[in-house]
Amino acid sequence: MSLRHALLGLLSEDPASGYDLLKLFENSLANVWPATQSQLYGELGRLADAGLITVRSEGARGRKEYAVTDAGREELRHWLLDVPPVPIRRYDMLLRVFFFGQISADDAIAYLREQQQAAAAEGERLAELGKMIAPHQDNFTVYGRLALEWGLRSSRLHQEWAEWAIGEVKAHDPAANTDPCEPG
Amino acid sequence: MSLRHALLGLLSEDPASGYDLLKLFENSLANVWPATQSQLYGELGRLADAGLITVRSEGARGRKEYAVTDAGREELRHWLLDVPPVPIRRYDMLLRVFFFGQISADDAIAYLREQQQAAAAEGERLAELGKMIAPHQDNFTVYGRLALEWGLRSSRLHQEWAEWAIGEVKAHDPAANTDPCEPG
DNA sequence: CCCTGCATGTAATCCGTTACATGATTGG
DNA sequence: CCAATCATGTAACGGATTACATGCAGGG
């Protein structure tokens, strides 16, 4: 139920419409908690029903601007302070690694190289994001940068691990010829 | 739909019953792709319906031993070689960081310290797991060790990042007094 | 006038979690 | 004989993804 708190958190900084929130997500929370448009509108409805947010004003094209209520602020604080985050361990990418025995060493190495490149690209993307948000000094951006740093370190970890793992696979099957080197 | 492939992968090494697979998961795949008992049995049924596995023999207490079919092996290879893994980005833990502006610097630091300690404990757990599986030399264990190494590196990253982030929060709010030091 | 962007909603489906429900076998 | 373990299944619910569906407003 974290989307609920993501929305409460965004609305705690500034009132906004569903559409606004959707845009706000794109360059910030979507990196740590993706949400689709339909999910977002659905959750806003439920939050309003629960009295955690209210429609502060209605504008053109049916636009509804939401603001948090005191109950909503309370719920957000409770979640921040009392609910321990659940460590997520669900890595599609690592699952495949367990089954490398089912494919050739060359295919395994190709897989790892792709992962390494994907991680490098992700690092690039985050670095760009960092430049883009550089001027802002609001709380949300300041603390978001902590998350960004996590992402940068994580993409480095992915790259370094993949390189290391390629070495391990080669050591395990010296016949692998992806990176040509004189056979002994 | 990765549980499906996790099961195909395990059955590709050795035929097993649902119960066996459940036990096999515990110290290996559960670290990268958790699954509950009910999910597992459900998926086995669907895999059998789809002809990717078959009941090779029925034993005592209703035990059904499954084995992969050729179609199942093919599906596994296809998944390993042709389906790019989806990078998961859903970090409950980082989501909270964005909203540090809603709590005190001391509370934020306490949160980060808890994360650091949780990561240290996770590192310990994985190190123990590494010792436990040390003697085995089957494919599954050999490649699983690559995933284990990822986990060890990841837990180090978490710890180092948390330490760094604590420093950032302190720099941002010098009044924070969690780690007492003479005020200038 | 038309396209783009603003703006909101519903429905189907899948996957995962939790809980419930049952029963056979083996070892102490 | 009793407890632990082996062994399989079903049902309810919630969250996420995808697709569908609609319509207004402003700028060129």
Side-chain angles (χ1 to χ4, degrees):
Chain A
M1 268 216 314
S2 290
L3 173 59
R4 149 161 295 206
H5 301 103
L7 293 174
L8 284 173
L10 283 177
L11 290 173
S12 288
E13 306 271 340
D14 274 311
S17 69
Y19 194 82
D20 293 341
L21 291 165
L22 199 60
K23 296 292 150 189
L24 273 173
F25 251 75
E26 273 171 19
N27 289 323
S28 57
L29 299 190
N31 291 291
V32 299
W33 202 269
T36 60
Q37 173 260 8
S38 55
Q39 214 185 337
L40 203 148
Y41 281 106
E43 194 61 43
L44 282 172
R46 265 169 263 134
L47 278 163
D49 289 348
L52 302 178
I53 63 176
T54 44
V55 177
R56 132 183 296 219
S57 70
E58 305 207 19
R61 280 170 286 194
R63 175 190 167 93
K64 292 186 213 162
E65 196 170 72
Y66 292 98
V68 275
T69 62
D70 288 346
R73 276 223 163 67
E74 191 45 47
E75 171 61 27
L76 179 63
R77 273 185 69 78
H78 164 66
W79 175 75
L80 283 166
L81 297 174
D82 309 330
V83 183
V86 277
I88 302 284
R89 31 164 174 265
R90 202 158 231 127
Y91 304 99
D92 203 353
M93 184 248 136
L94 289 176
L95 181 55
R96 275 162 236 249
V97 171
F98 275 89
F99 305 128
F100 274 3
Q102 305 295 320
I103 57 178
S104 71
D106 286 349
D107 283 336
I109 289 167
Y111 175 79
L112 291 168
R113 272 204 215 295
E114 272 165 43
Q115 287 314 119
Q116 194 194 6
Q117 280 159 22
E122 172 72 359
E124 283 290 313
R125 187 183 72 83
L126 292 176
E128 284 306 309
L129 220 176
K131 282 184 213 156
M132 245 178 59
I133 63 170
H136 302 83
Q137 285 299 326
D138 52 299
N139 269 339
F140 189 67
T141 309
V142 166
Y143 295 116
R145 261 193 271 273
L146 301 183
L148 183 68
E149 174 67 16
W150 191 94
L152 290 168
R153 289 176 184 224
S154 181
S155 83
R156 250 175 275 138
L157 180 147
H158 272 75
Q159 286 174 75
E160 288 163 13
W161 171 85
E163 260 176 70
W164 169 84
I166 287 170
E168 290 292 300
V169 172
K170 281 185 183 169
H172 190 249
D173 177 0
N177 60 4
T178 299
D179 188 33
C181 58
E182 322 296 302
Chain B
M1 267 217 313
S2 289
L3 174 58
R4 149 162 296 208
H5 301 103
L7 294 175
L8 284 173
L10 283 176
L11 290 173
S12 287
E13 306 271 341
D14 273 311
S17 69
Y19 193 83
D20 293 340
L21 292 165
L22 198 61
K23 297 292 151 188
L24 274 173
F25 251 74
E26 274 171 18
N27 290 321
S28 57
L29 299 190
N31 291 290
V32 300
W33 202 269
T36 60
Q37 174 260 6
S38 56
Q39 214 186 336
L40 204 149
Y41 281 106
E43 194 61 43
L44 283 172
R46 266 169 262 134
L47 278 162
D49 288 349
L52 301 178
I53 61 176
T54 44
V55 178
R56 130 182 298 220
S57 70
E58 306 206 18
R61 280 170 288 199
R63 175 191 167 92
K64 292 186 214 163
E65 196 171 72
Y66 292 98
V68 274
T69 62
D70 288 344
R73 276 223 164 67
E74 191 44 48
E75 171 61 28
L76 179 63
R77 274 185 68 79
H78 163 66
W79 176 74
L80 284 166
L81 297 174
D82 309 330
V83 183
V86 276
I88 302 286
R89 30 164 174 264
R90 201 159 233 125
Y91 305 99
D92 202 354
M93 183 248 137
L94 289 176
L95 181 56
R96 275 162 237 250
V97 171
F98 276 89
F99 305 128
F100 274 3
Q102 305 294 320
I103 58 178
S104 71
D106 286 349
D107 282 337
I109 289 166
Y111 176 79
L112 290 168
R113 272 203 215 297
E114 272 165 44
Q115 287 314 119
Q116 194 194 4
Q117 279 159 24
E122 172 72 358
E124 282 291 312
R125 187 183 72 82
L126 292 176
E128 283 307 308
L129 220 176
K131 282 183 213 157
M132 245 178 59
I133 63 170
H136 302 83
Q137 285 300 326
D138 52 299
N139 269 340
F140 189 67
T141 309
V142 167
Y143 295 117
R145 261 193 271 273
L146 301 183
L148 183 68
E149 174 67 17
W150 191 94
L152 290 167
R153 289 176 184 222
S154 180
S155 82
R156 249 174 276 139
L157 179 149
H158 273 75
Q159 286 175 73
E160 288 163 14
W161 171 85
E163 258 176 71
W164 169 85
I166 287 170
E168 291 291 301
V169 172
K170 280 184 183 168
H172 190 248
D173 177 359
N177 60 3
T178 299
D179 188 34
C181 59
E182 324 294 303

